[in-house]
């Protein structure tokens, strides 16, 4: 297994290109299942999670062709042979559940393996199930698979979510566009990835209103056509690279990044004393001399502070002046980076969903590893400012969500390399 070796202490200076959003692309790709006609996605990120979704769609009989080195995905579902998402693929990536809605909507049946446990908590799929049941499907759990049936098609309904779920909103939306009649999704997630999915579905002929708000209304149509859609920039990749100069010092311009996608996060970063400005090409972040100020963070559904940036923000807080309290409200077990950061000299106490970080002047490099994507990248960020060498192992987590991270950071002057294992 590869590792990433970072030697801290170099200030950053340069530009980093922000890719298309992984999480948007993972929802857009299954939308191909809703139509016979081709769907083309441009600005796709080149990540292992995208390859996993490709394998899943291909296992159903869809055609997925990578063009321009993977930047463009040409998808077609005119020849679907199976409605079964196999355990072997689903267990690798929870977002596989996103084929449930489209399969049910178009074929009236789907069998999707339950994803099983995950490093950051139990992460059930009951809300996905609830949405499909509201639309008239019958679901049954057998042999570890959700067996869903809607022999006479889905019908529009009110779907009220008891808590906000990004994935369940996406599944509900994709199922509703082909359901008979009107659907109202209440307490819908408002993430930019949902808005992006709605834009793409609308370009395919769907009738949707209210995306980006808590109530989405859909008027079902009988067929959808093809389209070409450009994937929204990745706000989590953007936030991660905005934190790089905040932690290491220097200036980085995140090219293609959109500040409006990370408003709450950018406000927090500014509060720490970091300069954040919009440029013609994206977002520029700089840190001049001195330590940053500690700030408190509470994660929340969009437009709140994203849980997917909590670990990276903690890496910054480790060397801030003062005490910072980070409260994780989305996932139950999302502080696995804390003990690893402590191995680098951070002072962190975790009590349930709250972490209290007392800033220290300097972190020291250490061999570390993490069990999920965002935790892994927080260790790379911490390594940028740590004294000496940090070796981050289990890099496959990083490759799920960050395209060529070592090259992007090295281009800004970071002393970072990938160490290939034998
Ligand atoms: C998506 C993102 C993930 C991000 C998360 C929260 C993708 C591919 N992944 O994940 O990076 O961290 O949003 O912003 O887009 N829940 C239930 N029952 C369900 C579904 C969810 O209880 O059926 C709970 C979850 O355990 C969690 C909360 O709802 O506590 C929010 O999860 P959700 O928004 O569904 O996250 P994902 O869509 O899986």
């Amino acid at each position: 297994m590869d590792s990433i070796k970072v030697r801290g202490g170099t200030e950053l200076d340069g530009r980093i290109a922000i890719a298309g959003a992984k999480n948007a692309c993972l929802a857009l790709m299954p939308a191909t299942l809703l139509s016979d006609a081709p769907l083309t996605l441009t600005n796709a990120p080149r990540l292992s999670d995208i390859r996993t979704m490709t394998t899943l769609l291909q296992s159903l009989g869809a055609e997925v062709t990578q063009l321009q080195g993977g930047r463009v995905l040409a998808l077609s579902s005119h020849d679907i042979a199976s409605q079964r998402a196999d355990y072997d693929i689903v267990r690798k990536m929870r977002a596989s559940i996103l084929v449930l809605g489209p399969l049910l909507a178009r074929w009236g049946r789907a069998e999707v393996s339950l994803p099983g446990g995950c490093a950051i908590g139990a992460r059930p799929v009951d809300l996905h199930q609830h949405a499909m049941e509201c639309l008239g499907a019958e679901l049954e759990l057998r042999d570890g698979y959700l067996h869903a049936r809607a022999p006479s098609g889905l019908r529009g309904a009110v779907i009220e979510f008891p808590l906000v779920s990004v994935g369940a909103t996406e599944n509900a939306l994709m199922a509703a566009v082909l359901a008979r009649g009107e659907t109202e999704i209440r307490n819908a997630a408002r993430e930019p990835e949902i808005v992006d999915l709605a834009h793409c579905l609308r370009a395919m002929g769907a009738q949707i209103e209210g995306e980006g708000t808590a109530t989405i209304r859909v008027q079902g149509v009988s067929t959808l056509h093809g389209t070409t859609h450009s994937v929204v920039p990745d706000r989590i990749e953007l936030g991660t690279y905005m934190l790089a100069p905040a932690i290491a010092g220097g200036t980085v311009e995140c090219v293609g990044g959109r500040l409006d996608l990370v408003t709450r996060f950018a406000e927090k970063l500014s509060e720490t004393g970091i300069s954040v400005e919009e440029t013609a090409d994206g977002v520029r972040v700089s840190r001049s001399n001195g330590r940053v100020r500690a700030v408190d963070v509470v994660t929340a559904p969009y437009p709140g502070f994203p849980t997917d940036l909590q670990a990276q923000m903690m890496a910054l807080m480790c060397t801030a002046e003062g005490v910072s309290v980070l409260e994780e409200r989305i996932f139950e077990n999302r502080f696995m980076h804390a003990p690893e950061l402590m191995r680098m000299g951070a002072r962190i106490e975790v009590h349930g969903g709250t972490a209290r970080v007392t800033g220290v002047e300097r972190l020291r490099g250490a061999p570390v590893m993490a069990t999920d994507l965002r935790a892994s990248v927080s260790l790379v960020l911490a390594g940028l400012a740590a004294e000496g060498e940090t070796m981050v192992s289990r890099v496959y987590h990083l490759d799920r969500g960050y395209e060529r991270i070592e090259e992007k950071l090295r281009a800004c002057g970071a002393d970072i390399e990938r160490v290939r294992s034998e």
Side-chain angles (χ1 to χ4, degrees), residues 103 147 201 262:
L103 285 175
H147 295 254
L201 293 171
V262 288

Side-chain angles (χ1 to χ4, degrees), residues 23 123-128 163 165-167 307-308 330-331 334:
N23 287 351
R123 293 182 88 176
V125 293
D126 55 315
L127 299 174
H128 299 254
L163 60 98
S165 160
V166 175
T307 172
D308 285 352
I330 308 289
F331 293 110
R334 208 172 193 183

Side-chain angles (χ1 to χ4, degrees), residues 195-208:
V195 174
D196 202 39
L197 175 63
H199 285 176
C200 177
L201 293 171
R202 194 178 292 126
M204 292 168 75
Q207 293 189 19
I208 303 168

Side-chain angles (χ1 to χ4, degrees), residues 374-396:
R374 309 303 172 185
S376 294
V377 83
S378 76
L379 300 174
V380 172
L381 291 178
L384 290 175
E387 221 167 68
E389 187 178 292
T390 300
M391 253 320 218
V392 184
S393 53
R394 299 198 176 175
V395 168
Y396 58 89

